[in-house]
Amino acid sequence: MALDTFLALLLFAFTTSITPGPNNMMLFTSGVNFGFRRTIPHMLGIGVGFFVLLIAVGLGLGALLHTVPVLYTALKFAGGAYLVWIAWKIGTSRSLSEAEGDAKPMSFISAAAFQWVNPKAWVMAVTAMATYTNEQLYLFTVLLVGFAFAAVNVPSVSTWAGFGSVLRDWLSDPVRLKWFNITMAVLLVLSLWPMLK
């Protein structure tokens, strides 16, 4: 892969990873409700889950979805339904003390599994593999795309969880937290619109 193509890949990976979407909205909310440290398994789960999804798409799953479009549509709607449920849980959360008690941040396994029904993750994976792989060095470029995303993932997800944890003290006021959680739930649902078209 030429250097200019690799730099374009890194820019694509960073831009798609740092921009708002379901993962980043949930990380921001988790940072507020649970703090940065308790959100680390969620962050790592996103990274590992997306890496596995990306490699699977590169190794043939993308072609299967292209061949059976109804499968892709089913995945998008399953992901959308799951996101609406998560948005409901976020929107009805009312206190940080509740977040520290019964409620728990998303686990590593749940965050990794969520990538398989996350519409934005699928769009990113299919686009990256279609754009940045080379037929002559296919396996090498599939792995290179995967590692490019892995390299930008940690700073991207950490930024969103970090922003949330910085606002934690300010949002310890129950009224502010209530409206923050409702706003984040609405934004999470709205993030589905471009992906479900």
Side-chain angles (χ1 to χ4, degrees), residues 45-84:
I46 289 170
V48 170
F50 183 69
F51 180 80
V52 172
L53 172 67
L54 192 61
I55 298 302
V57 166
L59 296 179
L61 189 55
L64 174 65
L65 291 176
H66 184 70
T67 306
V68 187
V70 71
L71 183 59
Y72 183 64
T73 302
L75 279 170
K76 285 198 315 184
F77 283 99
Y82 184 63
L83 277 174
V84 168

Side-chain angles (χ1 to χ4, degrees), residues 31-156:
V32 167
N33 287 290
F34 303 109
F36 188 85
R37 187 182 59 76
R38 290 183 68 196
T39 302
I40 290 173
H42 185 168
M43 291 186 281
L44 295 175
I46 289 170
V48 170
F50 183 69
F51 180 80
V52 172
L53 172 67
L54 192 61
I55 298 302
V57 166
L59 296 179
L61 189 55
L64 174 65
L65 291 176
H66 184 70
T67 306
V68 187
V70 71
L71 183 59
Y72 183 64
T73 302
L75 279 170
K76 285 198 315 184
F77 283 99
Y82 184 63
L83 277 174
V84 168
W85 179 79
I86 290 172
W88 175 257
K89 298 287 281 177
I90 290 169
T92 57
S93 177
R94 293 292 179 254
S95 71
L96 293 177
S97 59
E98 175 187 325
E100 291 168 350
D102 294 339
K104 294 181 173 90
M106 188 175 267
S107 70
F108 174 88
I109 297 295
S110 295
F114 172 67
Q115 303 320 299
W116 291 82
V117 293
N118 179 354
K120 183 180 178 186
W122 279 98
V123 170
M124 289 166 57
V126 170
T127 303
M129 287 302 168
T131 306
Y132 295 102
T133 52
N134 179 323
E135 287 184 27
Q136 284 75 37
L137 300 166
Y138 191 72
L139 183 58
F140 173 75
T141 53
V142 164
L143 293 174
L144 194 59
V145 169
F147 286 115
F149 271 92
V152 302
N153 182 267
V154 171
S156 298

